[in-house]
């Protein structure tokens, strides 16, 4: 049995697996509440989405609408789709997984997206780069 809660098979995984193939599987939230969303998890044990190969990316592109349709039956008014990467980025399990979350207008944090934490004065960085981040000399154009 694997120590990783996302490597299959195991008896650690919480939630219900609603889809699986050779590359990915989709699992409901821990409490089994699909309307709150789920996670799209790589079958291959890799740490972050930066390790996903071309075949996995292509497959994920095809699967996203299918996974969204599982949540659509609850009529969410919005969605969040996101990766938490490394512990500082909020990743609690070191196995690549994409969160797909249905959002509803009656939620206490409705209309607050993934960038919400960055907009909070209480989340401003301190130190040498804290007040200067984003200045013209530090800016990078992609």
């Amino acid at each position: 049995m694997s120590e990783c809660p996302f490597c299959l098979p195991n008896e650690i995984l919480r939630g219900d697996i609603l889809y699986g193939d050779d590359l990915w599987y989709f699992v409901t939230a821990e409490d089994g509440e699909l309307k709150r969303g789920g996670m799209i998890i790589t079958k291959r044990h890799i740490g972050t989405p930066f390790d996903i190969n071309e075949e996995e990316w292509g497959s994920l592109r095809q699967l996203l609408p299918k996974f969204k349709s599982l949540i659509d039956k609850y009529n969410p008014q919005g969605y969040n789709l996101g990766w938490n990467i490394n512990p500082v980025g909020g990743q609690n399990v070191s196995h690549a997984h994409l969160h797909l979350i249905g959002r509803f207008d009656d939620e206490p944090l409705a209309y607050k997206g993934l960038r919400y934490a960055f907009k909070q004065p209480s989340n401003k960085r301190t130190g040498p780069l804290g007040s200067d981040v984003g200045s013209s000399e530090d800016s990078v154009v992609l």
Side-chain angles (χ1 to χ4, degrees), residues 81-97:
L81 182 65
W83 305 93
N84 295 324
I85 303 170
N86 295 329
V88 171
Q91 185 177 11
N92 296 317
V93 176
S94 184
H95 185 128
H97 57 284

Side-chain angles (χ1 to χ4, degrees), residues 113-124:
L114 294 173
R115 298 180 309 141
Y116 179 69
F118 298 110
K119 295 180 177 184
Q120 301 307 304
S122 62
N123 199 32
K124 282 232 189 263

Side-chain angles (χ1 to χ4, degrees), residues 9-72:
N10 73 51
E11 296 178 16
I12 306 169
L13 184 67
R14 295 176 289 204
D16 299 321
I17 297 175
L18 300 182
Y19 172 87
D21 64 20
D22 292 340
L23 302 174
W24 297 94
Y25 69 96
F26 182 78
V27 63
T28 61
E30 289 181 18
D31 59 7
E33 283 286 321
L34 178 60
K35 68 181 176 185
R36 293 182 54 209
M39 292 185 296
I40 304 163
I41 304 173
T42 59
K43 285 272 185 91
R44 184 169 65 99
H45 182 83
I46 55 174
T48 76
F50 298 117
D51 302 314
I52 293 173
N53 64 36
E54 290 298 321
E55 181 183 16
E56 290 162 333
W57 279 119
S59 175
L60 179 59
R61 172 65 185 96
Q62 297 299 313
L63 292 170
L64 273 174
K66 293 177 186 181
F67 298 147
K68 178 184 172 287
S69 71
L70 296 172
I71 298 171
D72 283 346

